[in-house]
Amino acid sequence: MREHASDASLLVLINAYHEGVKFQLPDDEGASLSWSMLLSTDAGLGGEQDVLGAGHFLAPPRSLTVFRCGVAAAG
């Protein structure tokens, strides 16, 4: 039996600046994307958080943040 692999699209944001930097999260015109924060080196950000597609994210100073992309459920 063959199993299909499921790949995840990841977005890695690196802010080496001493102030926060605003990033525009990618969106797909054909589908509603959602972004889940998997990891942040900033202690002020909690665990996994969902961010809607085409939103902005303020990356904390001198931080690395990793997001996983998924298709938002139609509602």
Side-chain angles (χ1 to χ4, degrees), residues 15-61:
N15 179 12
Y17 196 55
H18 68 275
E19 294 179 4
V21 173
K22 188 172 165 181
F23 286 89
Q24 172 73 40
L25 298 176
D27 196 15
D28 185 7
E29 294 177 17
S32 249
L33 300 180
S34 65
W35 294 95
S36 297
M37 183 189 310
L38 299 178
L39 169 76
S40 177
T41 58
D42 183 67
L45 296 176
E48 189 167 322
Q49 300 177 18
D50 289 333
V51 179
L52 297 178
H56 290 94
F57 175 74
L58 183 63

Side-chain angles (χ1 to χ4, degrees), residues 58-70:
L58 183 63
R62 297 187 172 100
S63 67
L64 178 136
T65 310
V66 179
F67 290 93
R68 176 181 56 217
C69 179

